[in-house]
Every structure is written in C-alpha cells, then in structure tokens.
Amino acid sequence: MVQSIQLIVQEADRTDAGKGIARISSEAMTRLSVEPGDIVKITGKKASAAVVALSNQGSNNISIDGYIRRDAGVGIGDTVSVEKAAPTTANRLTIQPVGESIKLDGKQVSDFIHQRYAGAPLYNGKTIALPVQVQQQQKQDPFESFFGNSWAGSFSSSFSTQYYEFIVTDIAPDDIAVVGSDTKVNYKDSAYKGEDGPKGKSAGNIHYEDIGGLGRELNQVREMIEYPLRHPEVFEKLGIEPPKGVLLYGPPGTGKTLIARAVANEVNAYFDTISGPEIISKYYGDSEEKLREIFEKAEENAPAIIFIDEIDSIAPKREESKGEVERRVVAQLLALMDGLKSRGGVIVIAATNLPDSIDPALRRGGRFDREIEIGVPDKEGRMEILQIHTRNVPLASDVDIGKYANMTNGFVGADLALVVKEAAMHALRREFPGMNPDDEISKEKLESLTVNVEDFDAALKV
Ligand code: ADP
C-alpha cells in the first residue's frame, strides 16, 4: 500500500519558483520512501505532483510554489496529503491557454514541451508558464525577446517575450504522467475556462515567490486580503468584518502592483485594474459609468480584487485643486465602496505614493480603512529581488549577487529589475557587436552566453 503523509504547505524558495519542485525534509523523504528526483503526488482540494528536492526546513513542511499550490487547491499553511507517485509515460496531452485565446504554432509548443518538460510530472489541470512572443506596440527594444525565448528561434525587433499561463487538459492516461519522446502534444488555442479558475479577467502569472524583500508586508496582506477571500466562513463565524478596502502606500516601483496581482492569483480571484489617471482622462464623461461597471462585474465574479493604481490622482484632498470630474468620480467610488456587501467577496486594493494627499473620506471606516506601507528594500530585500530577477538569466560564475545588493542602496525593485535587464543587454552587445535584430544566432553560441561581472558593472556604471 502506498504510504501517504500529511505535510503543511510553505512558500517555495524564490529561486525554485516555476520549476515544479517540492522541497521536503530528509525525515519526510524516509517516511515516503523517496529520494531527490522522485515524483510525489500532492493532494489538497485537488491533486497535483512535483519533483522531490531536499529542504532544510521542518520535517512537517513542504515548500511548493504558487503554480503547484493552485493546482492542489491549497494556500500557505494548509495541510496536504503527500505520497510517492509512479508515473507512466503519457500517450497524449493537450495544452490550452488560460483566460484568453492565444494563437501559437502547434509544432513549436510540442517541441518546447518535449524539451522543457521531459521527465516532469504532468496531469490534468497542471498550470504551466510558457514564454510567448508578443508584439510590442510602443517602445521597441530590439533585444527584448532574447532571454527566456528558447523556442521561437530568431528574434525580431517588434516582439518581446512574456510568460503566459497554460493548462494541461485531456492527458492520457488520466493520471500523473511524464512526457516521453512518443508523447503526442496537441495545442488548442481556445481559452480554457475551468470551473474553479477565475471567470474572466485574471491577474496573470505573478505569485508570492516573485516578490522580494516584503516578507512582513506579505504576511499582513495575506491576513487582510487572502484569508477573508479564501475562508469567508471563518470570518463570519468569528463575527469579524473583513476589509472592503486596503491602501498600499510607498514609493513607485516597490511592488504594490505585484502584491495585488499575487494575492489575487493565490485565491484564484477575478482581477481588474483601474488606473487613477486613466479613469479620468480615457473615459472622460463616462468615468462614473465605467467605475460602476467594474464594480458590478467584480461582484458577479467574486471572489474578486479590484486594484486602483495611483488613487491620489482621482481622490486628492478637497482643499487641493480638484476638478468637477474628480469630484464626481470620488463620490461614485465612495458610493460603490459603501454599497459593497461586507462579505461579498470583493476587496478593493488601492495604491499610492502620496497617502497624505488622499481625500480623508476615502480612509474612513468601511472604505480604505487598512493600510500597509510598502517601503524601499534594505540590503536583504535587494538580495531577494536580485535573486528573483536573475532566476532565468545565465549568470557567469564570477557574478556575486550579494555584492550588487550591497552596492545598490536606495534602489527599489523596479530599479533592480532594470539593472539585471541592462546587464543582460550589455552581455548581448559584448558577445554580438554590431548585430542586427534579424540575424540568426547559432545554438552553440546561445548556449555558451552568460552575463558576467563586466556586464553588471556596466549596468551599474561603476
Ligand atoms: P509599484 O506598483 O509599487 O509602482 P510594481 O509592483 O509595478 O511597482 O513594480 C514594477 C516592477 O518592478 C515589477 O514588475 C517588478 O519587475 C519589479 N519589482 C518591484 N518591486 C519588486 C519586489 N519587491 N520584488 C521583485 N520585483 C519587484
């Protein structure tokens, strides 16, 4: 009989995210009779699977990333049942985009899956992130599609690569199975709309593991936003009013948007964004109607998160200059927030870098009455952020990320992401001087390409 044990879900290491790994202690490995590299089935509300790796955490814990947590239908702190799996080779499987339809070349998808997921456990409902080239509308960066783009071949000036979420459907045999050379991979470009996935707009593939240096703040976010959406019954039983609105404040580029998206993903919530300046200008004349629509849709699709970016631009204090449109939009927003049912499963997250310039009426009870400061990261925070952003970058062995975390006092997450990107660009120019965007790069050259100290120093202009 297969031995199964109960373990408590923990967040994955930032460097493990997206790799399909479950880290458990050596004691847990012994109890399960598994070794690193074996595959385990992880069951919460649903079943998922991952490759075992060693952790130095407690023996009752299992560290899995946001994708596996979602597949298993669990959150951090939940208990899962874990057992050794004996996967067979899949005969066939289908991949479908989540949320929106995406047209891709079926052969490329199949090649990519065979290459990247060879030997990895797949199952019905497994979420995977694939790099997709998207056409850039505005600013073009000729080298954007280079890193992470392992399947699209040549690179072109009008495309950039972004990771999109896909799901495995229709796998045969319908169990945990690995991809083998004979596995037939089909691609279906119509959007997958599962019963339990967010209906309509979702927050994309951002998870807690993609946010660095905000451990304490993320705990607050989880308590204020994730728990009430995930376990409304507990709040009801205890008679606690869950918040309707949470204000995230701090300098630009520190991760406020990331947090809103990650928490929405964690509870599989419907997610919609309102940009403060846009609601005034883009929908001029229809701003109130647009707001009403957004709230209505969110209530219909609860659990839902509405994210209002730069809320200060629509809701400045009364004494500061405020036009007629702003006045009406604020009044509408207040009315909509007051109209939200307290247990209606909709939470509004607003972000600002000017908390003191917001209309105080918005910060009263029942509106944005919880606040979390999202500050500039310290050295450890910068280290975590650099680790996240170099996760998919081929670093040369001489690169010491700790040194750059030390040198970047005052840098926020967005600045650090840019440093990594500039270093990668420098590597590209160094290795391929005078290259045209349409030039083909040989596979060997691509494989040997790394980002080294010189590139980081150049990015930091030291
Ligand atoms: P804000 O909403 O606070 O202005 P964002 O969340 O939009 O900032 O961050 C912009 C980008 O900067 C992110 O997409 C990410 O690449 C990077 N970034 C910012 N903060 C962090 C962080 N704490 N950890 C990792 N990356 C970050």
Side-chain angles (χ1 to χ4, degrees):
M1 218 195 83
V2 185
Q3 164 86 19
S4 84
I5 64 172
Q6 307 287 306
L7 295 174
I8 300 165
V9 174
Q10 306 293 330
E11 201 174 332
D13 284 359
R14 289 185 168 76
T15 42
D16 281 349
K19 295 185 180 160
I21 291 176
R23 283 198 187 270
I24 56 176
S25 65
S26 54
E27 290 98 311
M29 284 195 203
T30 310
R31 285 167 67 202
L32 287 165
S33 324
V34 295
E35 290 175 2
D38 283 349
I39 290 167
V40 284
K41 181 171 179 180
I42 303 163
T43 314
K45 286 201 197 84
K46 298 180 290 172
S48 66
V51 176
V52 172
L54 183 65
S55 93
N56 47 15
Q57 283 201 19
S59 59
N60 289 324
N61 292 340
I62 180 165
S63 302
I64 47 178
D65 68 17
Y67 293 104
I68 307 173
R69 292 200 294 275
R70 181 193 293 186
D71 290 350
V74 294
I76 295 162
D78 287 349
T79 301
V80 285
S81 164
V82 183
E83 63 190 66
K84 182 172 181 172
T88 49
T89 303
N91 299 322
R92 67 175 153 77
L93 58 93
T94 301
I95 308 279
Q96 262 183 277
V98 177
E100 58 183 308
S101 159
I102 301 178
K103 273 212 167 353
L104 292 174
D105 180 308
K107 166 113 185 14
Q108 284 186 340
V109 175
S110 174
D111 289 351
F112 183 81
I113 297 289
H114 275 106
Q115 184 196 337
R116 175 75 77 88
Y117 287 90
L122 299 182
Y123 42 86
N124 240 322
K126 180 174 170 64
T127 320
I128 53 180
L130 300 184
V132 173
Q133 287 202 324
V134 288
Q135 192 133 27
Q136 289 252 296
Q137 274 149 14
Q138 319 124 7
K139 220 177 72 185
Q140 293 179 2
D141 183 337
F143 301 119
E144 276 253 317
S145 61
F146 198 61
F147 285 105
N149 170 21
S150 28
W151 61 329
S154 67
F155 57 125
S156 135
S157 59
S158 52
F159 289 93
S160 82
T161 300
Q162 273 179 25
Y163 278 78
Y164 280 82
E165 274 190 12
F166 294 79
I167 197 156
V168 176
T169 57
D170 187 33
I171 190 165
D174 184 7
D175 198 354
I176 296 165
V178 295
V179 176
S181 50
D182 292 337
T183 306
K184 186 165 165 22
V185 178
N186 302 308
Y187 180 68
K188 206 161 144 187
D189 53 24
S190 58
Y192 171 82
K193 296 210 168 69
E195 305 120 41
D196 55 349
K199 302 169 277 305
K201 299 184 178 181
S202 81
N205 51 346
I206 296 286
H207 302 279
Y208 291 145
E209 285 82 3
D210 299 318
I211 303 174
L214 294 170
R216 197 169 41 86
E217 292 81 353
L218 277 179
N219 279 338
Q220 287 177 282
V221 166
R222 297 186 54 220
E223 262 179 36
M224 279 182 211
I225 306 168
E226 184 188 326
Y227 294 164
L229 290 179
R230 191 186 286 285
H231 300 295
E233 69 289 352
V234 176
F235 281 69
E236 187 151 7
K237 170 94 183 168
L238 294 173
I240 313 170
E241 287 275 306
K244 290 179 181 175
V246 175
L247 185 68
L248 304 180
Y249 67 94
T254 45
K256 298 182 288 300
T257 311
L258 285 184
I259 288 179
R261 293 177 62 190
V263 70
N265 261 327
E266 200 67 23
V267 286
N268 249 333
Y270 172 92
F271 183 82
D272 206 352
T273 303
I274 301 171
S275 140
E278 213 170 78
I279 194 87
I280 304 286
S281 59
K282 185 165 162 197
Y283 301 101
Y284 189 83
D286 298 316
S287 310
E288 294 144 278
E289 181 55 31
K290 180 75 192 160
L291 266 186
R292 215 171 14 241
E293 244 173 55
I294 289 172
F295 272 70
E296 250 170 42
K297 282 242 173 66
E299 286 190 285
E300 277 167 24
N301 293 297
I305 288 178
I306 300 174
F307 179 63
I308 309 183
D309 202 7
E310 294 183 63
I311 193 167
D312 46 278
S313 66
I314 48 171
K317 275 185 187 154
R318 285 181 211 286
E319 60 262 29
E320 282 160 33
S321 69
K322 181 153 60 174
E324 181 54 27
V325 188
E326 284 87 343
R327 225 184 299 275
R328 290 203 323 253
V329 169
V330 172
Q332 177 71 70
L333 182 60
L334 292 176
L336 288 167
M337 294 222 30
D338 292 346
L340 284 178
K341 284 195 239 56
S342 81
R343 292 180 213 289
V346 177
I347 293 184
V348 187
I349 304 178
T352 180
N353 51 352
L354 304 162
D356 294 330
S357 72
I358 294 181
D359 190 334
L362 269 169
R363 295 168 85 174
R364 288 206 194 104
R367 295 164 182 171
F368 295 99
D369 55 2
R370 320 282 163 101
E371 297 179 1
I372 302 175
E373 180 176 7
I374 309 297
V376 176
D378 61 11
K379 194 174 83 190
E380 279 73 38
R382 295 195 298 273
M383 176 78 182
E384 286 182 19
I385 295 170
L386 284 169
Q387 279 171 341
I388 290 167
H389 287 280
T390 53
R391 202 149 59 196
N392 296 316
V393 177
L395 293 182
S397 55
D398 62 351
V399 175
D400 172 12
I401 289 295
K403 183 179 118 190
Y404 299 109
N406 256 329
M407 284 166 57
T408 45
N409 196 11
F411 281 47
V412 296
D415 301 330
L416 295 166
L418 195 64
V419 166
V420 175
K421 194 169 167 194
E422 300 228 318
M425 295 286 293
H426 189 269
L428 195 60
R429 286 188 216 105
R430 176 172 55 71
E431 283 289 330
F432 304 100
M435 190 170 107
N436 283 317
D438 292 332
D439 291 352
E440 289 278 341
I441 301 171
S442 77
K443 217 170 162 198
E444 297 73 49
K445 191 99 184 169
L446 196 58
E447 261 158 29
S448 67
L449 180 64
T450 56
V451 180
N452 65 23
V453 168
E454 186 194 326
D455 302 321
F456 271 90
D457 287 351
L460 283 162
K461 298 176 187 68
V462 290

